[in-house]
Amino acid sequence: MKKRVLSILMTAAMVISLTAGCGQKADKKGTQKSDSGAIVLDMYHSWSTDSERGAALNALIEQFNKDNEGEIEVKVTVNPDFPAYQEKVKTMISTDTTPDIFHYNFNPNDLSRQESGKLMDFSDYMDDEWKARFGEGDLETLTVNEEITSIPFEKAGAVMYYNKDLFSKAGISEFPATWDEMTEDCKKLEKAGITPFSLYTADDAWYTCNLFTYLAASYAGVDKLNEGGDIDTDEMKDAAAKLAELTKYTTSDAIGANYSVAMNNFVSEKTAMVIDGPWLIGSLEPIKDKVGIAQMPSFQDGKVAENYVVTDAQTPWAAAKTDDKEKEKAIVKFMKFITSEDSVKQLTLEGAVFLSPKLDMEDSDVKATTGLLGEYLQLNSKVEQSTVNIQRNLTTAANSKLPSLLESLMLGNVTPDEFVDQLAAENK
């Protein structure tokens, strides 16, 4: 799962010990144990505790350690630089230093982790009760070579946040329902001296890719996108052409900007719209009363459902393979705890995290949730169709090329057709 708060600028990993003062020793099987005899599980993740979701996760881990004192200890290392974190995980797997527990962005075109033979298979532990906790299709997606080496976890929708005051200043009373209306409203915003979109091209160019994916879904349909395959299609070229049109309505620093710059452009009211996940809510405190969450436009031609959403990658938990059944059971116990109904409720309401494990929308606390998080939960509860951000299903080579191709498209150095042709060639 992607770290999308200001701390993404941190370059050094922050190490958090949740069980300070406890020594460790290895038993005869090589499993680390504390002086009290508890099995030590080394956990590696990217959610720093200065974010809402990191603080919520930290509180749950502390609760788990307290509930299992003398039996299991989860010790955490945090690296908030998510791109670097992802590469570090791959390195750790290849060098046989795989963390006991970690998370990552799932990409069906990069199964190097699953096919490494170094991840734990949860199949024998996936009983009907635990299986019922997860969203439809998520376990199937993460089942590779008949093994469940990843447990579904974060699956956040990227939704449109917009500044209602800036829209009103431009004479816009309602959020546009169609892409053609979006173009007209961008013109109105620009005429009022307001830059419509926060976009960026550095790092993973996530905001720009969110917009591109919504356009591709609108032209091709969610089902077709979810089928995967060749992206060199007429619909994808139409989406690229519309993207080139809409990216004219972004900030002058979008070329070369990163997530932090683009996000802060929205928070400081330099832009009127941004497509982001629920983790953004914690950064919107200065303007929270001005911000609304809107359903994305479509062409209203039946290609997509009225309520459709682009999600970020499924970001599951995985674990290092072990021959120690005692340790294996300890890992499963933690996984069941962190995906339980109570944990999911706490992560959602306190951490603004939207997860694959099911949230009871009829729970009184959930129904009473107000503000932007309440709007986000209500929008997601009505979703009829979803597709993953297109970049999450590209090959490593295509993803590496994507930011520079987006820059070329936005600068007019390549045509929409050339953009798709070159991206498709890298995606072979």
Side-chain angles (χ1 to χ4, degrees), residues 81-290:
D81 184 345
F82 195 68
Y85 167 88
Q86 289 256 80
E87 292 305 311
K88 179 65 174 178
V89 165
K90 289 185 177 181
T91 299
M92 294 173 85
I93 292 173
S94 66
T95 57
D96 291 318
T97 55
T98 310
D100 292 326
I101 300 171
F102 64 95
H103 67 176
Y104 70 96
N105 271 353
F106 176 75
N107 182 344
N109 286 309
D110 179 9
L111 298 177
S112 57
R113 304 172 190 83
Q114 290 81 2
E115 294 174 347
S116 67
K118 298 175 183 178
L119 302 188
M120 177 179 162
D121 181 11
F122 291 89
S123 299
D124 290 343
Y125 298 98
M126 190 55 64
D127 53 38
D128 291 341
E129 182 179 357
W130 197 16
K131 186 181 296 184
R133 290 289 306 132
F134 304 107
E136 184 178 354
D138 288 342
L139 270 177
E140 288 81 355
T141 298
L142 294 173
T143 301
V144 178
N145 298 327
E146 299 183 350
E147 291 186 342
I148 304 174
T149 53
S150 305
I151 300 300
F153 196 59
E154 189 176 11
K155 188 183 178 182
V159 300
M160 183 67 86
Y161 296 83
Y162 71 106
N163 189 308
K164 293 179 287 189
D165 282 11
L166 295 183
F167 266 59
S168 179
K169 182 180 177 181
I172 305 169
S173 58
E174 294 182 352
F175 194 83
T178 70
W179 289 112
D180 291 336
E181 290 174 2
M182 172 66 80
T183 300
E184 292 306 309
D185 285 349
C186 284
K187 292 177 182 178
K188 292 178 183 178
L189 287 163
E190 195 172 60
K191 187 176 181 179
I194 302 163
T195 303
F197 286 109
S198 271
L199 301 172
Y200 67 96
T201 63
D203 298 332
D204 58 0
W206 192 63
Y207 281 174
T208 313
C209 289
N210 283 337
L211 180 55
F212 182 39
T213 308
Y214 269 113
L215 291 168
S218 295
Y219 277 107
V222 165
D223 291 342
K224 189 167 183 178
L225 283 192
N226 289 341
E227 289 173 2
D230 188 9
I231 62 172
D232 189 2
T233 65
D234 290 341
E235 293 91 347
M236 200 64 69
K237 290 176 179 177
D238 288 338
K242 192 67 174 179
L243 178 68
E245 175 188 320
L246 290 176
T247 52
K248 295 176 182 177
Y249 301 105
T250 189
T251 55
S252 59
D253 61 3
I255 302 292
N258 61 12
Y259 174 85
S260 181
V261 170
M263 184 267 285
N264 277 300
N265 281 337
F266 181 75
V267 176
S268 60
E269 300 188 84
K270 294 178 182 177
T271 60
M273 291 177 281
V274 66
I275 306 173
D276 209 331
W279 46 80
L280 177 68
I281 294 171
S283 300
L284 296 178
E285 188 64 28
I287 60 169
K288 65 179 182 180
D289 294 332
K290 302 179 181 181

Side-chain angles (χ1 to χ4, degrees), residues 287-315:
I287 60 169
K288 65 179 182 180
D289 294 332
K290 302 179 181 181
V291 176
I293 296 177
Q295 181 64 50
M296 292 297 291
S298 70
F299 291 108
Q300 296 192 345
D301 57 2
K303 285 290 183 67
V304 290
E306 181 179 348
N307 298 307
Y308 75 116
V309 70
V310 169
T311 73
D312 198 14
Q314 170 67 258
T315 304

